[in-house]
Amino acid sequence: MSNKRDSEILTQVGPGTAMGGLMRQFWIPALKSSELVADGDPVRFMLLGEKLIAFRDTSGRVGIMDHRCPHRCASFFFGRNEEDGIRCVYHGWKFDVDGNCLDMANVPPAQDFKQKVKAKAYKATERNGLVWVFMGDQDNVPELPEIEATLIPDAEMEIGFHQRECNWLQAIEGEIDTSHVGLLHYGNLDSSTFPKDGIRKYSVANRAPEYITEETDYGFMYGAHRPADEGNLYWRVAHFMFPFWALPPVNVIESNFMARAYVPMDDTHTMILVMVIKNDPYGREVRAIPGGSMDLEYEPNSTDWYGRWRLTANAGNDYMIDRDVQREETYTGIHGIVVQDHAINEGMGPIVDRTFEQLAPSDMMINRVRRMLIKAARIHAKDGTAPVSASDPHVYHGIRSGQYVAPAELNWLDAYAKIIADNPVRYPLPDAAE
């Protein structure tokens, strides 16, 4: 159970808040590169409670800035994206991707003061199909994080977004809660449903795992274990990484090249980024999950602040729940793992009242991540000190989640380290001839 003050620290991300200040020390994935076209339409979007526009200029550079023109606050969304800059249509003031004023169309040349005017712009860069934004000190910008899935060329990856209408924390807490998988998602299944040579069968053979957690330089990791075959344990190992990354243990750990980011648009809307490899570079099969993050139906995108990547199954239609199917065929009556998570997370309310909770041993990871986040946010608010991962991208290197079976007597961290060592990061991907 969290008190009201702690809950506010965890959930409030706008300018001037403790958590918002902490998150601004990290690069944030914000859009697909394909959403922006040179000299194309500006895109409205929300990030950490700020209304921003994104555009790609004539030379292909990406601009991210406050949507308000610094002259009279007209919105750049209506602006002309032309000749390496965006021009406000109200009075013709034009700015480049760095926020420098290039032209004051309504000011006589003798009275021009464009060298003194700046639009509020943020550093932006691209890597492997994603546009990244840095909203912290623009004179002290770190390198991009070395998160494994983001290092894989975008041609080898499935990259998707979907919006969830709730606070970022309750969304990501579902990701680091492995015990719900055997119930919410697999509640109507038993071991016979899964291949005999697969290991997911153990997640339903015992739906109450025991947890071990470990704090790390990049955040927190957990190992949840259940009995497997004689003398062995079935492990699901996963990670929370600052500031809002989760590595879910969807596949066997050798093949689980994936990541998810729960990016706060504001306090009550979250944009979820999903990255998963199409084909394992080591030749193993990567099993897609029906109803998973790449098997979704969307409403058409619109141009409003919350108009991107909204699911067709939503609160307005009760996530298309079918009560007859729930009674007779499936556990929830809601089709698809992601939609099931949407229903649960959004059904808690825009920001869950954590003073109402009664946490259990299965919430160990959630409880410890909350404490870590509160501590980090308070320290940064006090003296500007951020976690090491904000300035050292290498701490994310070689971190992977996944499932494995190991002898019961073997330390879980030793087993994890051996698997990662035997299946090292090899990106960019090797050429087929290698």
Side-chain angles (χ1 to χ4, degrees):
M1 183 183 296
S2 300
N3 61 47
K4 182 179 179 181
R5 180 58 188 147
D6 286 348
S7 186
E8 289 174 347
I9 291 174
L10 287 165
T11 59
Q12 295 176 358
V13 298
T17 64
M19 189 59 67
L22 179 64
M23 288 186 173
R24 283 167 171 78
Q25 307 313 302
F26 296 82
W27 280 101
I28 301 172
L31 307 101
K32 284 186 179 182
S33 291
S34 60
E35 292 184 75
L36 304 178
V37 178
D39 287 338
D41 299 344
V43 174
R44 281 186 180 122
F45 71 107
M46 297 282 296
L47 203 57
L48 302 185
E50 298 187 33
K51 292 181 175 180
L52 306 174
I53 62 108
F55 68 99
R56 189 183 300 279
D57 74 6
T58 311
S59 299
R61 299 172 300 179
V62 173
I64 303 291
M65 59 180 62
D66 190 299
H67 84 107
R68 297 167 296 183
C69 174
H71 176 213
R72 295 267 297 281
C73 298
S75 181
F76 282 124
F77 174 75
F78 302 107
R80 296 174 60 89
N81 183 8
E82 59 182 26
E83 299 176 347
D84 283 326
I86 190 161
R87 186 183 296 276
C88 176
V89 295
Y90 197 11
H91 298 96
W93 290 24
K94 181 179 176 181
F95 298 83
D96 67 13
V97 296
D98 296 316
N100 300 307
C101 187
L102 305 177
D103 185 32
M104 293 179 164
N106 74 325
V107 178
Q111 298 174 329
D112 188 298
F113 59 100
K114 59 178 175 289
Q115 71 278 1
K116 297 181 180 181
V117 177
K118 288 270 290 189
K120 183 179 181 180
Y122 291 122
K123 297 292 186 184
T125 191
E126 295 179 86
R127 186 172 72 191
N128 293 342
L130 287 176
V131 174
W132 300 72
V133 182
F134 184 74
M135 301 173 70
D137 181 358
Q138 300 296 288
D139 295 322
N140 186 23
V141 180
E143 297 179 17
L144 289 175
E146 296 179 12
I147 298 170
E148 186 174 52
T150 70
L151 301 177
I152 303 173
D154 58 320
E156 301 294 330
M157 296 295 289
E158 295 280 0
I159 300 175
F161 284 92
H162 49 275
Q163 186 181 152
R164 193 166 291 174
E165 295 185 12
C166 68
N167 183 259
W168 77 278
L169 187 65
Q170 66 206 63
I172 199 170
E173 285 183 344
E175 196 69 85
I176 58 176
D177 165 21
T178 195
S179 68
H180 87 273
V181 173
L183 293 161
L184 179 65
H185 303 316
Y186 295 165
N188 64 313
L189 307 179
D190 58 33
S191 299
S192 65
T193 309
F194 298 87
K196 291 183 179 180
D197 60 348
I199 62 174
R200 286 180 183 163
K201 60 187 178 185
Y202 298 121
S203 64
V204 295
N206 184 317
R207 302 183 197 271
E210 296 187 39
Y211 281 78
I212 305 175
T213 60
E214 183 83 7
E215 191 165 2
T216 68
D217 286 342
Y218 54 83
F220 238 101
M221 67 184 296
Y222 73 76
H225 62 86
R226 302 168 170 88
D229 49 0
E230 186 174 354
N232 291 317
L233 293 176
Y234 165 63
W235 290 91
R236 290 173 61 93
V237 174
H239 308 266
F240 169 89
M241 302 193 304
F242 279 112
F244 41 57
W245 289 90
L247 304 186
V250 172
N251 287 300
V252 293
I253 195 167
E254 297 91 340
S255 302
N256 203 50
F257 300 94
M258 69 180 307
R260 294 176 185 162
Y262 288 76
V263 181
M265 300 169 69
D266 58 18
D267 292 350
T268 57
H269 295 79
T270 302
M271 188 64 73
I272 303 172
L273 162 67
V274 180
M275 310 184 72
V276 60
I277 198 167
K278 295 176 183 176
N279 296 292
D280 184 334
Y282 300 99
R284 293 173 295 255
E285 177 187 7
V286 179
R287 294 180 178 175
I289 299 177
S293 298
M294 301 305 171
D295 182 22
L296 298 171
E297 294 184 5
Y298 294 92
E299 293 291 286
N301 277 358
S302 68
T303 58
D304 66 75
W305 297 111
Y306 304 103
R308 299 165 55 240
W309 310 115
R310 297 165 300 173
L311 296 188
T312 301
N314 55 58
N317 53 35
D318 293 326
Y319 310 94
M320 298 184 180
I321 187 170
D322 188 320
R323 293 295 188 180
D324 290 332
V325 169
Q326 183 183 43
R327 280 186 283 269
E328 300 172 7
E329 300 179 33
T330 72
Y331 185 73
T332 64
I334 298 172
H335 174 71
I337 287 176
V338 169
V339 180
Q340 291 163 4
D341 287 332
H342 264 57
I344 295 301
N345 291 164
E346 293 181 353
M348 297 174 181
I351 302 177
V352 68
D353 179 5
R354 288 180 173 80
T355 65
F356 193 75
E357 293 178 327
Q358 298 291 328
L359 298 184
S362 58
D363 302 310
M364 178 189 299
M365 177 70 169
I366 289 170
N367 189 39
R368 293 185 177 177
V369 166
R370 287 180 188 176
R371 292 181 182 180
M372 178 187 68
L373 285 169
I374 291 169
K375 180 180 178 181
R378 284 176 169 162
I379 290 174
H380 179 262
K382 180 181 179 181
D383 61 17
T385 301
V388 63
S389 52
S391 57
D392 183 1
H394 190 69
V395 300
Y396 297 101
H397 190 75
I399 307 303
R400 193 182 310 154
S401 292
Q403 309 169 36
Y404 62 85
V405 172
E409 68 273 10
L410 185 63
N411 178 276
W412 72 292
L413 292 174
D414 292 339
Y416 169 80
K418 184 177 187 305
I419 293 173
I420 297 298
D422 290 343
N423 297 269
V425 177
R426 293 175 59 191
Y427 299 108
L429 290 173
D431 294 332
E434 292 184 5

